[in-house]
Amino acid sequence: MHETAYEITTLTPQHPTPKPGMLPTEIPPGVQMVTLPGGIRTLAYTPQQAPPAPPIPVAQPIPTWAKTTALLTPTIGGGIAAAGIGLSYAAPGLIAMSQALWAAVALIAAAAIGVPMLLRIGRSAAGAGRGSTHITQNITASGMFGKANGTINHR
């Protein structure tokens, strides 16, 4: 930096000011009372400090969650699209499968109702010539831990 050949002083009681041609309130901004090397005091323009430069914005790093979301978005979208295409190809088979499942349910229901009826009809046809058998059982016991006796009667 270059050296200045003047000394900047402020207006204080220690440095009485000579009677200037203008009042201190009339001195325009950027002008000050200076003392030159020869001791002469005069008004002079003084270099003003440049205002500090505005801070340069620093780029912030991208958060990890944003990177992960950005990478997963096309993957999830592609998966949904693939599932839709797969369902469109599988739709005829799914319809046929659902019809086959309903047919299986109907078959199971018919078997659950029909098999017992067929067994009942078969028993009654086989036992039409003879009467039904009755078994009667009588059991007696004396005391809490007594031996039990029983009889079985066939009729």
Side-chain angles (χ1 to χ4, degrees):
M1 198 154 175
H2 68 284
E3 256 183 69
T4 57
Y6 56 87
E7 174 187 342
I8 299 174
T9 60
T10 58
L11 300 174
T12 63
Q14 298 164 344
H15 297 286
T17 59
K19 305 279 180 191
M22 57 175 51
L23 297 171
T25 57
E26 296 175 343
I27 297 176
V31 176
Q32 290 185 350
M33 180 69 72
V34 296
T35 304
L36 298 175
I40 301 171
R41 296 182 61 149
T42 184
L43 293 175
Y45 286 103
T46 55
Q48 292 188 358
Q49 294 179 348
I56 299 171
V58 179
Q60 299 293 327
I62 298 173
T64 305
W65 66 267
K67 289 180 186 177
T68 304
T69 304
L71 291 173
L72 285 177
T73 301
T75 305
I76 292 171
I80 292 171
I85 292 170
L87 284 175
S88 70
Y89 281 127
L94 291 174
I95 292 170
M97 191 183 313
S98 70
Q99 291 174 353
L101 286 173
W102 279 115
V105 168
L107 180 65
I108 291 170
I113 295 170
V115 169
M117 288 180 69
L118 289 174
L119 289 175
R120 189 174 302 143
I121 291 171
R123 278 192 212 149
S124 62
R130 58 188 163 110
S132 60
T133 304
H134 293 283
I135 299 174
T136 305
Q137 185 175 11
N138 296 319
I139 300 173
T140 58
S142 59
M144 179 96 148
F145 297 105
K147 185 176 179 182
N149 294 320
T151 57
I152 298 176
N153 298 320
H154 293 279
R155 290 187 204 178

